[in-house]
């Protein structure tokens, strides 16, 4: 057992016996398994179809933001909440279609505030890797669904995700929960972020969860794991969605535009999900400029222009050029297949090609 794993398991014992610990729906072990588990190949619906039950309800879902993981989806969630014609669950990442499906459609409906004049939807960045069986069921339930996917440079994305993985293990967070400050006023996360471990244990875990404490081989092994392979392979995942939904139902966004044209990104998203163009224009015009420019859910201090401006040198990938090169080689086939898909769908932008 590695240093990190043994410290983590001692943390689990402490956390489980802590009377004050919030009722965890999943154990931390479940959490890391869940982070690692869903992939297009391995996740299938183990429960009966729900579209039959849905017929008896007056519930329609208008949009899903499918991801990608670490592609600015929390920023989108924060700002979409400010659009008067959009209704999102207060908590980002409902994870109904992957983790909570067995809770049934009534549970899902309860996550939304019913309002017939608004466009109802949710953002769960892992949905993009849902298997075809689940996508087929989503289509049976909501054939007119509008879908959005944000794509980011695959090395940046993977690094961001791996830094998050290390941090989450350190904080003992369950999947779908957030580090303090990601979503303001999220008391549940605030509680979870103070695990009942001694200060020295915490310091040791902090050290081990710092990227600088891990050798290059750790990150390469993670990147070769199904978790990251499936999340890097945008084209394969998206093709599953294109099998069921028409091209014009799926909007692909370039993550770099969040920096260069944030208003444009939000305008594109809200009009795509059905908000009237005049209302959309008014919405983006009235947004608070500071909030629009704000980076949220930051795990590395990437300035968004390809340059990393790290205060904490421990998280900088630019300081590990060999690792960066190896990562570029590993993601290169996925970049090529995604760029091919973009061209086929008529987009004029592409991801940075490492070949
Ligand atoms: N405004 C703005 N401009 C550019 N980039 C931004 C912005 N807001 C958030 N981010 C970056 O998005 C990364 C987090 O993405 P997500 O919120 O989708 O992550 S998650 O999958 O929900 O955990 C995370 O990237 P890293 O810092 O590289 O980890 C955030 O910094």
């Amino acid at each position: 057992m590695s240093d990190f794993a043994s410290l983590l398991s001692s943390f689990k014992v402490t956390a489980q016996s802590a009377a004050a610990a919030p009722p965890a729906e999943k154990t931390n072990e479940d959490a890391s398994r869940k982070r690692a588990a869903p992939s297009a190949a391995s996740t299938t619906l183990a429960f009966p179809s729900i579209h039959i039950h849905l017929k008896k309800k007056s519930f329609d879902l208008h949009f899903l933001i499918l991801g990608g993981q670490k592609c600015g989806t929390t920023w989108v969630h924060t700002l979409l909440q400010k659009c008067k014609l959009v209704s999102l669950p207060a908590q980002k990442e409902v994870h109904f279609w992957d983790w909570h499906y067995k809770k049934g459609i009534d549970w899902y409906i309860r996550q939304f505030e019913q309002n017939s004049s608004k466009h109802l939807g949710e953002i769960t960045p892992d949905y993009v890797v849902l298997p075809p069986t689940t996508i087929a069921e989503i289509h049976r339930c909501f054939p007119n669904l509008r879908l959005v996917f944000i794509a980011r440079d695959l090395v940046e994305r993977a690094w961001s995700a791996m830094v998050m993985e290390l941090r989450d293990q350190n904080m003992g967070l369950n999947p779908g929960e957030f580090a303090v400050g990601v979503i303001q006023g999220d008391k549940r996360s605030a509680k979870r972020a103070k695990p009942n471990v001694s200060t020295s244990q915490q310091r040791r875990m902090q050290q081990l969860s710092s990227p600088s404490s891990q050798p290059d081989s750790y990150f390469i092994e993670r990147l070769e794991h199904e978790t990251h392979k499936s999340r890097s392979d945008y084209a394969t995942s998206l093709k599953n969605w294109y099998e069921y939904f028409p091209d014009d139902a799926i909007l692909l966004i370039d993550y770099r535009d969040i920096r260069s044209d944030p208003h444009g990104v939000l305008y594109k998203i809200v009009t795509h999900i059905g908000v009237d163009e005049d209302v959309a224009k008014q919405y983006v015009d009235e947004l608070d400029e500071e909030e629009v420019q704000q980076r949220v859910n930051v795990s590395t201090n990437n300035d968004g222009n390809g340059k990393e401006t790290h205060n904490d040198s421990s998280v900088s990938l630019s300081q590990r050029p060999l690792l960066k090169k190896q990562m570029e080689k590993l993601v290169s086939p996925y970049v090529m297949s995604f760029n091919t898909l973009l061209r086929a769908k008529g987009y004029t932008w592409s991801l940075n090609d490492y070949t």
Side-chain angles (χ1 to χ4, degrees):
M1 204 186 255
S2 71
D3 255 12
F4 188 82
S6 69
L7 199 64
L8 192 64
S9 72
S10 74
F11 159 68
K12 273 178 216 150
V13 172
T14 320
Q16 278 160 12
S17 60
E25 197 174 342
K26 316 255 174 338
T27 64
N28 291 315
E29 216 168 310
D30 284 339
S32 43
R33 199 166 350 106
K34 277 276 169 63
R35 280 250 182 247
S39 76
S42 65
T43 314
T44 51
L45 281 183
F47 303 96
S49 293
I50 55 169
H51 67 278
I52 298 165
H53 306 288
L54 193 62
K55 280 192 186 142
K56 296 175 219 142
K57 326 263 170 196
S58 59
F59 176 76
D60 196 16
L61 186 74
H62 301 116
F63 71 93
L64 285 178
I65 298 194
L66 308 172
Q69 188 201 40
K70 309 313 292 178
C71 295
T73 58
T74 310
W75 175 83
V76 173
H77 179 89
T78 309
L79 291 162
L80 273 196
Q81 280 179 317
K82 308 204 178 287
C83 182
K84 64 181 183 194
L85 289 186
V86 172
S87 175
L88 288 156
Q91 176 78 31
K92 181 177 163 250
E93 303 199 20
V94 172
H95 278 288
F96 174 68
W97 299 100
D98 46 7
W99 303 343
H100 301 302
Y101 188 75
K102 67 178 172 186
K103 292 183 177 167
I105 192 66
D106 288 325
W107 180 89
Y108 193 40
I109 294 173
R110 280 201 300 277
Q111 307 309 306
F112 298 89
E113 191 192 312
Q114 298 296 319
N115 188 329
S116 57
S117 64
K118 291 194 181 185
H119 300 271
L120 248 63
E122 55 127 339
I123 304 178
T124 299
D126 276 342
Y127 281 167
V128 71
V129 297
L130 286 173
T133 45
T134 311
I135 300 171
E137 180 60 11
I138 294 174
H139 184 258
R140 274 192 289 271
C141 292
F142 309 110
N144 299 318
L145 201 59
R146 308 291 286 169
L147 303 163
V148 179
F149 178 77
I150 308 168
R152 181 176 183 182
D153 174 274
L154 286 175
V155 169
E156 267 184 39
R157 190 220 72 81
W159 181 249
S160 167
M162 293 189 292
V163 170
M164 175 182 72
E165 264 181 0
L166 282 168
R167 182 204 67 197
D168 282 0
Q169 286 179 80
N170 173 48
M171 297 181 107
L173 290 176
N174 282 332
E177 290 182 338
F178 298 94
V180 177
V182 170
I183 292 179
Q184 277 184 355
D186 181 1
K187 294 200 180 74
R188 196 164 64 113
S189 298
K191 271 200 243 163
R192 297 281 304 162
K194 291 188 191 116
N196 190 15
V197 287
S198 71
T199 318
S200 63
Q201 260 180 323
Q202 244 176 7
R203 205 175 306 122
R204 181 82 184 115
M205 285 175 73
Q206 194 97 45
Q207 248 171 20
L208 290 168
S209 70
S210 158
S212 60
S213 71
Q214 303 295 339
D216 289 2
S217 57
Y218 165 86
F219 293 105
I220 294 305
E221 209 177 291
R222 290 303 301 144
L223 193 48
E224 284 176 327
H225 189 278
E226 192 51 34
T227 302
H228 292 290
K229 277 203 323 208
S230 61
R231 285 167 180 76
S232 299
D233 191 356
Y234 290 163
T236 298
S237 302
L238 285 165
K239 277 178 193 158
N240 291 331
W241 289 89
Y242 279 111
E243 281 290 310
Y244 291 92
F245 290 91
D247 287 9
D248 69 357
I250 304 176
L251 173 68
L252 306 180
I253 298 263
D254 182 350
Y255 166 86
R256 290 164 293 195
D257 290 346
I258 296 180
R259 266 269 126 329
S260 62
D261 182 18
H263 295 91
V265 167
L266 293 166
Y267 180 83
K268 263 194 215 168
I269 293 177
V270 294
T271 50
H272 179 72
I273 65 186
V275 172
D276 172 84
E277 286 181 13
D278 290 338
V279 178
K281 190 169 177 324
Q282 192 188 354
Y283 152 68
V284 293
D285 284 351
E286 289 176 358
L287 283 170
D288 180 285
E289 199 48 34
E290 210 174 301
E291 280 187 278
V292 171
Q293 299 298 337
Q294 196 182 8
R295 275 184 95 97
V296 290
N297 196 13
V298 179
S299 49
T300 70
N301 296 330
N302 193 308
D303 68 4
N305 295 315
K307 276 187 245 142
E308 286 171 295
T309 52
H310 293 276
N311 304 322
D312 172 7
S313 59
S314 65
V315 293
S316 173
L317 180 61
S318 58
Q319 290 171 3
R320 298 172 73 158
L322 275 180
L323 172 60
K324 193 161 184 284
K325 267 265 155 296
Q326 282 175 285
M327 287 175 68
E328 287 173 2
K329 198 168 162 212
L330 279 175
V331 300
S332 185
Y334 302 129
V335 176
M336 286 199 283
S337 57
F338 181 63
N339 285 345
T340 304
L341 176 81
L342 281 174
R343 277 194 301 279
K345 300 299 176 190
Y347 290 87
T348 51
W349 56 275
S350 56
L351 290 185
N352 187 13
D353 185 343
Y354 292 109
T355 51

